[in-house]
Amino acid sequence: MADGTGTGAAQPAQFAFDAESEAAIPAILAKYPPGRQASAVLPLLDLAQRQMGRVTGSAWIPVAAMDVVAARLGMAPIRVYEVATFYLMFNKQPVGKFHLQLCTTTPCWLRGSDEVVAACRRLTGIKGWGETSEDGLFTMTEVECLGACVNAPILQVNDDFYEDMDAAATERLLETLRRDEMPPPGSAIGRQGSAPVGGPTTLIEKAGLIEKAGLIEKEGE
Amino acid sequence: MPKLTVDGIEVEVPAGSSVLQAAELAGKEIPRFCYHERLSVAGNCRMCLVEVEKVPKPVASCAWPAAEGMVVKTDSPMVRNGRRGVMEFLLINHPLDCPICDQGGECDLQDQAMGYGWDHSRYREPKRAVTDKELGPLVKTVMTRCIHCTRCIRFITEVAGVSELGATSRGEEMEVGTYVEKALSSELSGNIIDLCPVGALTSKPYAFIARSWELARTDGVDVLDAVGANIQVDARGPEVLRVLPRINDEVNEEWLGDKSRFAIDGLKRRRLDRPWIRQGGRLEPASWDESFAAIAERLKGLSGEKIGAIAGDLVDAESMLALKDLMTALGSQNLDCRQNGARLAQRRREFYLFNTTIAGIDEADAALIIGSNPRREAPVLNARIRKRWLAGNFPVAAIGQPADLTYPVEWLGEDPRTLTALLAGEHPFAARLKAAKNPMLILGQGALARPDGQAVLAAAWKLAAECGMLRADWNGFNVLHTAAARVAALDLGFIPGTGAKGFWAMRSGGVDFLWLLGADEFDIARIPSSTFVVYQGHHGDRGAERADVILPGAAYTEKDGTYVNTEGRAQRGWLAVYPPGDAREDWKIIRAMSGVLGQPLPYDDLASLRRRLAEAHPAFARVGAVARGGCTNLSGPAGDPAQMLPTPFTPAIENYYETDPISRASPTMARCTATFGAPAALAAE
């Protein structure tokens, strides 16, 4: 195919916003001044992708959905294609139910993202990036920095970040996902937010944690 | 009006100018790829870097506003280094396949690499390759060569107004294309070939045909619509290989419609290259002498009123005048040029001209289009209307079959009843026309080529008069023609004299002898067999099929000719190649015929014929100019608006790509017709 839509799964001929999506649209459009409705292209594309995920189990945006967004916002379809293809968070091809987005940028790589990638490959049977497992559950995508380097390495599943991953944690996560459960997002080693491993080390007076950390005496010495 | 210094030269530029424009005023050439005078500024190629004092880094001059007291250097070491760096980056992914690239020899990248390129590449990584795009039968793509200047995207979006091209994906994966494969539906798509600064977009029909330095360039005038776009005819030996637009800000700026650009392969096919005579129902090859003798034989003893002539759409003014003079010598006033049956009044020039002029559209502030689809009838003129609409505050309404004209149009109705309502002031748009300072209306051939055409013409004039379109300083009454020859023919009075037979009478057996000068666009089969038909023209089309004698003439690229466009602007084209075989320039054929008939016309060369032309109508004395003025005489053309029929206006052109013998003979235009839908499908859009 000489066009940009790729060679993957067949594009559905039609797309329409369902009742749940339709209910959300007025609130989105109301955020932009009259005549500037084209600004809503990103939230509407997101809405379309979520609807596809909800209805078909695969969160992606077929061309038909881009056309619907274009018609809704009074834009030329090509302008919507440009936006949709610019953002990697929009999937232009069908993805698995769980979209594994693996960060391999420097901080994650230093903290062992290779191990996480290898575990994902081993457990899902996926060989290359962008591929979907045979059972249709998982798609592996290599992503650039997810902005959570403190808790590297990061494995993003659909919308959620799973942090401080290693092979064992990845294995636990994927097994849970296979049971169709989403474990709570966050650190796999019980880290609080982005605090240092084992707990906070600075500004602890203000946090009311003086005794717990046992640092006052040290300073006094 | 800021004053600034460019390389030591002080220049004063209009407020809002860019540094690049200031440098051009100072006579300094700035290299560029993405910047184009007639498109929006993108500033993404970075080739136009200059140094501005007190600015720490080189700046892109196309997007940098010129300011008071600025000191600009266009050739400092910083500038040269910067441009060299940009060029090196541009060439990283460019394939350097110039030997097999059609742009070679007329490529901006090639030229500028001579100034800023290196003799070798430092780049050792794999180059990026991009899948070619299928953009239809006219534009060929080699997308690996694309440098992402986005000129094509901006042209298609801004000027052509069809928003079909874009840049998808990002970074190294960015590609210019349509994303979902589709042929560009614009009638102006060929212009992106000219705009592309590299060989990414080239002409599909012209692919691998010639190198630019092999071509002989001749100035010409396009005749495939009535705009009279200025063209450059590129030929090698006996063949016209391509047609490019020439810049004329008053007519076509620098654009050209796809038919005018690509129909030229029709010039090599179905050509009449020798005379033919019908003998026993079959056309037999003949010599010039035999054909002239056959015509003279038939004319013998025939009175003038049984002789007639119809002039076609592509004919030059010289041959029409010669034919008219010949007919006058034979005692005939049975002449007509309105083979589409348009009820056009010849009495005053204002009644059949695009009086506002094409450049004048810029000054209009409201428009009403009646029975016309300018996008199909005159795409370049339509782009001008769109340009005016883009400037803002320009309501456009239309009466006729709704279509996408590339700008928003309020469709008021499909038939003359809407016009009646406007005249009576019952329709709200009448008030908007009256409130406008410079309102204009465009009357198409679809409104005139119908039985009540005269009434529509009178009604339109009356509306123009009532809405303040006809003033001493403004004339907003416009007739949009579809035939390049029509205005010249009307100027020369190629219409029936008093009491003489017109088009309908001549077609239906009113004359025994009918001379068709390139006239093909009517139901020729309805000429009764008792009429002796002479067809003089260049293509074996409908007229030649019916003819009793065929006289092979020259196409517009094969003769020096004068044409008057829809504005009334006389323009001259020159001979680029010789007519094929025995074919001759048309006025010479008529002059030779007059000699055989013993009525020699009083001119033996083109210069004396053109003197006669200038005497016949003053427009021909001012080639290139147009007499633009207001309207002081409000009395309108004959006709009663009350006689208008309630039948809807139909488009004058069903299929843009095939409207005349040349485009009907063109395989490229046939491919366009197949791609963009049969006429029926077009009408349904």
Side-chain angles (χ1 to χ4, degrees), chain B residues 501-623:
Chain B
K501 299 185 183 79
F503 167 72
W504 302 105
M506 288 193 272
R507 194 202 65 178
S508 325
V511 289
D512 291 340
F513 178 98
L514 184 57
W515 190 302
L516 300 179
L517 180 60
D520 294 281
E521 309 309 319
F522 63 96
D523 200 357
I524 284 170
R526 288 175 65 175
I527 301 175
S529 55
S530 58
T531 307
F532 185 85
V533 177
V534 174
Y535 180 79
Q536 178 184 354
H538 40 79
H539 272 76
D541 207 79
R542 298 165 190 164
E545 207 175 306
R546 166 63 184 83
D548 294 293
V549 175
I550 294 174
L551 303 176
Y556 67 113
T557 51
E558 295 154 5
K559 58 188 168 190
D560 291 341
T562 308
Y563 304 90
V564 184
N565 77 353
T566 191
E567 302 169 285
R569 185 191 304 272
Q571 301 185 106
R572 216 156 258 177
W574 278 266
L575 177 143
V577 295
Y578 288 99
D582 281 343
R584 292 292 179 268
E585 288 183 53
D586 292 275
W587 77 269
K588 288 181 181 167
I589 296 171
I590 297 163
R591 171 66 183 80
M593 186 70 233
S594 71
V596 172
L597 293 171
Q599 308 259 21
L601 296 172
Y603 24 82
D604 296 327
D605 54 25
L606 197 58
S608 46
L609 173 53
R610 285 190 172 158
R611 274 197 295 279
R612 163 100 181 84
L613 204 54
E615 284 162 18
H617 198 284
F620 296 100
R622 298 187 308 266
V623 171

Side-chain angles (χ1 to χ4, degrees), chain B residues 2-6 9-13 19 22 66-67 69-72:
Chain B
K3 265 193 200 134
L4 62 163
T5 315
V6 180
I9 303 166
E10 193 162 278
V11 287
E12 193 172 343
V13 294
V19 170
M70 208 176 242
V71 179
V72 180

